[in-house]
Amino acid sequence: MTFVGDVLVALAFVAAGYWAWAAYRARVFGRRRPLPSGATPSVSVLKPLCGVQPGLYETLRSFCSQDYPSFQLVFGVSDPGDPAVDVVRRLSDEFPGLDVALVRDAHALGTNPKLSNVVNIYKSARHDVIVLADSDVQVGPDYLRTVVAPLADNGTGLVTCLYGAAPRPGLPSALGAMYINDWFFPSALVAASVRPLAYAFGATIACRREVLDALGGFESVVDYLADDYMLGRAVAESGRRVALSPLVVQIVVDERDFSTLVSHELRWARTIRSLRPVGYLFSCITFGFPLSLLALACGGPTPVTLAALAANLVARVIGWHATRRTAGLRLRVSDACLLPVRDVLSLGVWLVSFWSRAVRWYGQSFTIDSQGRLRRTTP
């Protein structure tokens, strides 16, 4: 037990160092400013929809209120009777001067239902700059100007954005938002500080049509669960730069219960595991608080184990503050108090993720192969 305790203490201190570095990277990123660009090419914004999640009207409306001279909004549903159609119609009536298209196409092109929808609506995009954004993303009026600006450099093949999360009422939603704000967001900044970005985030993907079509279009990733990741990787492998915009967009997290929360997080965890197995294995060092508790249980309350616990608590709170400021989120003390609970839950999801490759998505059962492709499973 002495050897195990020593290992756990060492890992706990490594975790504290990791979160201290994440806090620093968040502060550095928060000081970035959008690069001005006089170019404002016409843009087609693709918005795949499925159902009416809380806040859908507000998130879609934020795209209608862009301070941008020429853009098209292309909404798409795979079910003609999808209630999201009524929201699109309401917005079309509210903004009669906007160029809005609604595509209703049930044709499935691959195992990823969202990307099948995207492929169908891409056919209605009229402009040479394409922006793909998830339905739960809310943006400010300068969104298009900011994300399109880096594309003025021909060496940039794709622009993507980090995102912060605002929870709906309830503990499951609060913990779900914390996964994004207090694990994904800082972890993405740490990864970007180590090597050039070679993947994208689904909250925003902006690229030129010529770049996208040269890669095979959205059809090239229609069988992958992490379609955003694979598209960004393809752009990087083509020799073009994947740019991380200084803009942070917002999403809404609505987890009905703990079962739904765990199901979502297992899907994300197993996706990351399939794409980056080595990195995912070593992500255990991000669970500093649980590691500190285990070290304390093995070695007892010694100065070293207590120091490891204190170092992780301090580093985690500093990182929480830096990330929330950078992402433009409210600093709620209740969230800071939940950090230990969030870390214990994350460790549990990490451990369970190794037991299977099964995921639930869009009400269907899939498995993820070693390349990140989705395979439907029979009931």
Side-chain angles (χ1 to χ4, degrees), residues 181-225:
N181 298 328
D182 304 311
W183 190 86
F184 160 75
F185 191 102
S187 296
L189 290 177
V190 170
S193 72
V194 174
R195 63 179 62 183
L197 198 65
Y199 44 87
F201 308 115
T204 289
I205 292 175
C207 61
R208 292 182 295 276
R209 184 187 294 270
E210 60 178 295
V211 173
L212 180 61
D213 290 348
L215 300 173
F218 291 110
E219 293 94 331
S220 64
V221 294
V222 78
D223 287 323
Y224 291 90
L225 177 55

Side-chain angles (χ1 to χ4, degrees), residues 212-270:
L212 180 61
D213 290 348
L215 300 173
F218 291 110
E219 293 94 331
S220 64
V221 294
V222 78
D223 287 323
Y224 291 90
L225 177 55
D227 50 272
D228 47 1
Y229 181 99
M230 299 304 297
L231 195 60
R233 186 165 80 175
V235 169
E237 290 176 348
S238 74
R240 296 180 184 268
R241 186 169 70 97
V242 176
L244 181 61
S245 173
L247 184 68
V248 178
V249 300
Q250 305 295 323
I251 69 168
V252 176
V253 172
D254 181 38
E255 302 289 6
R256 296 188 304 273
D257 49 44
F258 284 100
S259 175
T260 305
L261 170 66
V262 172
S263 177
H264 285 172
E265 295 192 3
L266 277 175
R267 187 182 76 227
W268 298 328
R270 286 169 177 160

